[in-house]
Amino acid sequence: MNIEKFQESMYQLIVETSTKLPKDVRRAVKAAKEKENAGTRAAMSLATITNNIKMADDQVSPICQDTGLPTFKIKTPVGVNQLELKAAIKNAIVQATKDAKLRPNAVDSLTGKNSGDNLGEGLPVFKFDQWEKDYIDVRLILKGGGCENKNIQYSLPCELEGLGRAGRDLDGIRKCIMHSVYQAQGQGCSAGFIGVGIGGDRSSGYDLAKEQLFRSVEDVNPNEDLRKLEEYVMENANKLGIGTMGFGGEATLLGCKIGVMHRIPASFYVSVAYNCWAFRRMGVSVDAETGEIKEWAYQDGEFIDFAQTEAEKETAAAGSSEDVVTLEAPITEEQIRSLKVGDVVQINGMMYTGRDAIHKYLSDHDSPVDLNGQVIYHCGPVMSKDEDGNWQVKAAGPTTSIREEPYQGDIMKKFGIRAVIGKGGMGPKTLAALKEHGGVYLNAIGGAAQYYADCIKSVEGVDLMQFGIPEAMWHLRVEGFKAVVTMDSHGNSLHADVDKSSLEKLVQFKEPVFK
């Protein structure tokens, strides 16, 4: 084999997967957008999402700043040297990271050190199989941390909130799947896709669930029972009212694929792999002699390019015809207390990124910058340097905020922070601190990394680079950075409201369906 050409082909696959959604996913997003109620926060979110998809297409830049954990599923003819393929793919990963098509995401679990090139122990993930065909089939999925954290595994029988007992039968499986969608809320960047694995052990069950995500969104399950179950989940999960980003609405789930395998008598697992709307998976057929790409997978049917009308761009930018509140740091407590859940704000001026490492650091140390009246953005951007050595933001959407729940309220009070931006909302501890201190939580649109990168006009500085690019504190000057107030200083939380209402709707699915 021409291994250099194979490496080139793998680089193309990585870039395409990171920057361009496959055709079937685009059609699912388009269908969700068309059935959403106009003028709602969910409609604004979907307009922003489709705008972001188009920007990523045009700029060949990452759709989401969390370019995920690369998992390769590879089938090879007998006799192909898999060690050579692994080495070539690793080289392609390093190059794609250097070119800012991937964010450096490989972190040593013991030291916290980021390798900087997406390589490390067990990374990337390789799943090899041999087959009798004469070409190599390579599938790649880039699954980000936000949706990965909403994966869930059930051991049947069990008791489920809102649904009661789930037994070791098809109806028990149904309840687990419905519960998995409910528990994800908006934290996994809904509207999402799920892969479900029935059976196996704890590890093989999750592998089977993730494998389902490699299926086409529009395929039909050959197993009649599973086909009916997939159809049931797709129809009824969208009745939970969780909606895009957890704002409420018509589109909560865009795809459900279910697989089954044998198990041992004592164990019955239902494993669910949740994936965000930015469902990045592609595949190629590669000539085993030349290393060249022969064919791309997931290319059947219509390609949706999401070229927007001026009206749609306006909707994405403003969310509605209502007034947009402009904030510029330092923000006063009076300004914050005037905001309420549902308000759309736009931020001009400075904001500072802070994720897990920064929050832990700030709980024990002074801040490298004055944060009084300032805005913290839960974001781990994709960054690169231009020819003059200046930092450029390549992708900069929000990360899931709930991880910072143990720290957030204390950090805000300690440093006088007035606004926090992220996705998916936060919990009761933060909500109480917002009320006491005079703070607000702003929900940005998860995955919209190009849309928000366009709002960042300059990088003014960076601190704590020892934590790696995603976890450093970036000083960003922004203009027209829009988000929605979902937790205010009066004790109101849209996230708590949607959780409560969706749980009430989940209860209606308690009774048996499959006999």
Side-chain angles (χ1 to χ4, degrees):
M1 170 187 275
N2 184 333
I3 203 67
E4 290 80 13
K5 191 64 185 177
F6 178 78
Q7 183 174 314
E8 269 182 49
S9 297
M10 292 302 96
Y11 177 83
Q12 291 177 49
L13 173 62
I14 294 162
V15 172
E16 189 80 358
T17 308
S18 179
T19 63
K20 184 169 287 187
L21 287 186
K23 287 183 176 182
D24 57 338
V25 175
R26 290 167 181 263
R27 291 192 290 268
V29 171
K30 180 174 183 282
K33 185 179 179 184
E34 288 173 346
K35 72 178 183 181
E36 195 53 75
N37 297 314
T40 61
R41 300 292 173 244
M44 177 203 75
S45 301
L46 284 163
T48 304
I49 284 167
T50 53
N51 186 17
N52 184 80
I53 294 168
K54 177 64 173 171
M55 292 172 75
D57 287 344
D58 292 345
Q59 298 166 21
V60 196
S61 288
I63 297 161
C64 175
Q65 80 290 335
D66 184 354
T67 56
L69 185 153
T71 299
F72 291 87
K73 185 176 171 61
I74 308 168
K75 295 179 180 177
T76 62
V78 176
V80 169
N81 188 329
Q82 295 179 357
L83 296 176
E84 285 188 347
L85 301 190
K86 272 190 178 183
I89 290 172
K90 286 182 176 181
N91 289 339
I93 287 275
V94 171
Q95 188 61 50
T97 308
K98 191 178 296 183
D99 295 343
K101 306 302 182 183
L102 295 176
R103 186 180 73 181
N105 270 355
V107 177
D108 187 303
S109 298
L110 298 182
T111 68
K113 182 176 174 56
N114 193 312
S115 70
D117 60 7
N118 273 304
L119 302 184
E121 290 296 324
L123 296 182
V125 174
F126 295 101
K127 302 286 185 183
F128 277 101
D129 279 309
Q130 286 188 330
W131 63 355
E132 296 293 342
K133 298 181 180 179
D134 63 358
Y135 64 90
I136 302 167
D137 184 90
V138 184
R139 307 289 168 113
L140 168 62
I141 187 167
L142 299 174
K143 194 168 183 297
C147 62
E148 183 70 14
N149 289 344
K150 299 317 295 184
N151 290 357
I152 191 167
Q153 189 174 68
Y154 303 88
S155 179
L156 297 179
C158 64
E159 289 286 331
L160 298 172
E161 187 178 15
L163 293 168
R165 183 178 299 115
R168 292 184 160 192
D169 53 23
L170 200 59
D171 220 60
I173 295 164
R174 172 190 67 85
K175 288 183 177 182
C176 291
I177 298 171
M178 291 295 290
H179 183 269
S180 76
V181 177
Y182 157 72
Q183 63 87 36
Q185 291 292 307
Q187 294 174 15
C189 283
S190 57
F193 302 79
I194 55 173
V196 181
I198 303 167
D201 61 12
R202 287 202 180 274
S203 60
S204 64
Y206 267 131
D207 280 343
L208 178 62
K210 197 169 189 178
E211 187 175 323
Q212 302 311 301
L213 297 175
F214 285 100
R215 289 169 52 191
S216 167
V217 176
E218 297 150 342
D219 74 4
V220 177
N221 201 311
N223 182 303
E224 185 68 9
D225 287 335
L226 297 186
R227 178 188 66 77
K228 289 177 181 177
L229 184 54
E230 289 175 354
E231 291 173 355
Y232 173 92
V233 172
M234 284 304 300
E235 178 184 352
N236 292 291
N238 288 309
K239 294 177 182 176
L240 295 176
I242 296 167
T244 305
M245 293 299 123
F247 289 169
E250 304 301 314
T252 297
L253 196 64
L254 302 179
C256 173
K257 300 297 172 187
I258 307 171
V260 64
M261 66 195 309
H262 280 57
R263 59 181 177 84
I264 59 173
S267 301
F268 196 128
Y269 297 114
V270 177
S271 311
V272 181
Y274 188 93
N275 207 96
C276 55
W277 67 261
F279 186 9
R280 292 155 294 169
R281 57 103 170 88
M282 287 281 189
V284 289
S285 301
V286 177
D287 189 296
E289 295 295 328
T290 67
E292 294 181 341
I293 294 172
K294 296 167 58 178
E295 188 176 7
W296 287 83
Y298 310 110
Q299 298 305 308
D300 294 335
E302 181 186 8
F303 177 84
I304 309 297
D305 72 357
F306 291 116
Q308 291 188 310
T309 66
E310 289 306 310
E312 287 176 318
K313 289 177 182 176
E314 193 173 309
T315 299
S320 71
S321 60
E322 297 170 7
D323 291 337
V324 176
V325 180
T326 299
L327 298 174
E328 187 157 358
I331 308 167
T332 66
E333 182 178 349
E334 182 182 16
Q335 286 176 296
I336 290 299
R337 294 215 183 263
S338 71
L339 297 172
K340 61 185 185 302
V341 165
D343 287 343
V344 177
V345 305
Q346 71 171 4
I347 297 171
N348 299 325
M350 293 299 298
M351 65 172 60
Y352 300 88
T353 66
R355 285 170 39 112
D356 308 70
I358 295 297
H359 281 74
K360 184 177 186 303
Y361 179 89
L362 291 178
S363 68
D364 300 322
H365 302 83
D366 288 335
S367 171
V369 294
D370 183 2
L371 293 174
N372 189 41
Q374 300 296 335
V375 179
I376 286 287
Y377 183 24
H378 295 163
C379 172
V382 178
M383 307 292 292
S384 68
K385 285 187 175 180
D386 61 21
E387 58 270 18
D388 298 321
N390 299 314
W391 285 108
Q392 302 292 315
V393 181
K394 294 299 184 181
T399 195
T400 308
S401 296
I402 197 66
R403 301 196 308 272
E404 317 312 339
E405 178 69 5
Y407 304 104
Q408 195 65 76
D410 295 336
I411 297 290
M412 292 184 79
K413 289 186 285 186
K414 179 180 178 181
F415 295 103
I417 297 163
R418 291 294 172 194
V420 172
I421 304 174
K423 72 173 175 72
M426 305 195 74
K429 184 180 177 184
T430 300
L431 186 60
L434 297 179
K435 187 175 182 179
E436 176 192 343
H437 165 64
V440 70
Y441 177 82
L442 306 173
N443 204 120
I445 309 305
Q450 292 307 309
Y451 177 79
Y452 287 117
D454 192 53
C455 299
I456 298 169
K457 302 309 175 185
S458 63
V459 180
E460 304 284 303
V462 61
D463 285 301
L464 305 172
M465 273 290 280
Q466 66 264 34
F467 298 134
I469 285 175
E471 296 284 354
M473 178 183 277
W474 296 93
H475 310 183
L476 306 176
R477 185 167 296 280
V478 303
E479 187 177 303
F481 190 106
K482 291 186 174 65
V484 179
V485 176
T486 53
M487 298 171 70
D488 63 26
S489 61
H490 311 292
N492 302 306
S493 169
L494 175 66
H495 308 284
D497 292 345
V498 171
D499 187 292
K500 181 181 177 183
S501 65
S502 59
L503 179 59
E504 290 169 353
K505 291 170 183 172
L506 184 68
V507 172
Q508 70 181 296
F509 304 112
K510 186 174 183 177
E511 296 305 314
V513 174
F514 299 105
K515 305 295 184 184

